Amino acid sequence: MRSALRFRWCTAIGLRVSALSVLILHLTSAGGIAGGNPPFILQWGGPGSGLFSASNNSLAHSPTGEVYVLETGTGSERVQLFTGDGMFITRWGSFGTGPGEFGPLTNAITCGPDGSVYVADVRIQKFTPMGAYVSQWGSYGSGDGQFAGCGGMATDAAGNLYVADEGNDRIVSFSSTGSFLGNWGVSGTGPGQLLNPFGIAVESDGNVLVSDGSPRLQRFSALGAYLGTLATGGAGEGQVGCCPLQLAVDPDRRIFVADWQNNRIEVFAPDGSFGAQWGTLGTGPGQFNGPTGVAADADGNVFVFDRENQRVQKFGYVTPARPTSWGRIKAIYK
């Protein structure tokens, strides 16, 4: 009798341990505890291809699925347009200060919800989706509607444009036709202050994400009210290296950071918690050597410009890690 009871007790314990092990394995493989690298899909460019140079390139993704690559700092500044699978469509631009030309401080590109393309140096130039020049506004300075180096740009759902004015430590906003809407920001390293803002993205609720040279990642309202800090400087999970150069938000409101100093892409959940990361220094698929640009499409695919490797890499949907404790595991099992 005792042997039978002991056998049933041991069997029950064994089944519970086995089930718990299976649950842990499931959570881990599904991105629960450890998360996982997104599937590598394809790449285009690369050293020797002649397609890109090793410059501070940034990306923009169009509402219809195309990818724009802004090439800067080489004396042959230009925009190149590709399909989402890397097929070349067209290019435009050259070095200069005239309409349709890009000067030495060219850093940023973004697309509006209507497909319009905006490129910034010490002014904003607006183009059609295929690169026809439309208009321009802005100049170098610290007055309303001026910039002292544009670090990044982003548009909201209404088409309004937000510009990270790196030299003046502020964010400047315009309508889609160039009307000045306002600016906000206080220079410094305290909460809600800005020090050389560079990366910028607008979330679906209108809140604005800004990375700066502190380094850190902060969230603000559309009018500049400080809402919190998502990441501070460092190389650990949920930290960012010096001057994250570009930010992106996908349809699930997940936030992607091109952490070029740490050769990785980081993902944050909509609530600002750390979700996942991938990338190491190297030349293989999923490796990076100075990622300077990141963009996400409507399907959650992620595009990364890998500067020193002179290529664009495309990845599939990223499954973020979910913080998991033993208590949570036991609660799920129970």
Side-chain angles (χ1 to χ4, degrees), residues 215-216 231-244 259-266 268 274 276-280:
R216 60 187 167 181
T232 55
E237 289 188 348
Q239 295 183 309
V240 293
C242 180
C243 301
D259 187 3
W260 71 271
Q261 188 178 45
N262 292 317
N263 293 301
R264 64 187 180 184
I265 301 298
E266 290 201 293
F268 294 85
F274 173 75
Q277 67 181 34
W278 79 93
T280 56

Side-chain angles (χ1 to χ4, degrees), residues 131-319:
Y133 172 81
V134 176
S135 62
Q136 65 177 324
W137 60 87
S139 60
Y140 188 86
S142 58
D144 289 348
Q146 294 184 309
F147 323 103
C150 173
M153 289 191 297
T155 57
D156 65 15
N160 298 316
L161 188 67
Y162 293 80
V163 182
D165 184 0
E166 184 182 8
N168 290 318
D169 294 329
R170 64 185 182 182
I171 305 301
V172 186
S173 59
F174 300 90
S175 72
S176 61
T177 56
S179 297
F180 173 72
L181 299 179
N183 59 60
W184 46 264
V186 176
S187 181
T189 59
Q193 297 178 329
L194 298 172
L195 180 67
N196 304 129
F198 214 93
I200 187 168
V202 181
E203 299 177 286
S204 58
D205 59 4
N207 290 334
V208 181
L209 301 160
V210 183
S211 62
D212 69 8
S214 295
R216 60 187 167 181
L217 174 62
Q218 299 183 94
R219 174 180 275 147
F220 300 86
S221 74
L223 298 178
Y226 172 70
L227 300 177
T229 296
L230 283 65
T232 55
E237 289 188 348
Q239 295 183 309
V240 293
C242 180
C243 301
L245 295 181
Q246 195 167 23
L247 311 176
V249 179
D250 75 0
D252 292 336
R253 296 189 61 221
R254 298 179 306 165
I255 303 153
F256 296 83
V257 181
D259 187 3
W260 71 271
Q261 188 178 45
N262 292 317
N263 293 301
R264 64 187 180 184
I265 301 298
E266 290 201 293
V267 190
F268 294 85
D271 65 2
S273 61
F274 173 75
Q277 67 181 34
W278 79 93
T280 56
L281 177 63
T283 60
Q287 295 183 311
F288 306 114
N289 190 355
T292 57
V294 63
D297 68 14
D299 296 321
N301 296 313
V302 181
F303 302 84
V304 180
F305 190 84
D306 186 7
R307 182 180 66 183
E308 299 301 325
N309 289 324
Q310 300 174 32
R311 63 183 177 180
V312 175
Q313 297 190 67
K314 180 180 180 180
F315 300 90
Y317 188 86
V318 181
T319 302

Side-chain angles (χ1 to χ4, degrees), residues 24-71:
I24 294 170
L25 178 62
H26 167 72
L27 288 172
T28 302
S29 62
I33 295 175
N37 291 352
F40 171 80
I41 297 177
L42 57 85
Q43 69 177 40
W44 64 93
S49 69
L51 196 57
F52 307 115
S53 63
S55 59
N56 287 330
N57 298 45
S58 56
L59 301 178
H61 192 269
S62 78
T64 52
E66 292 78 26
V67 177
Y68 293 88
V69 180
L70 173 64
E71 191 166 354

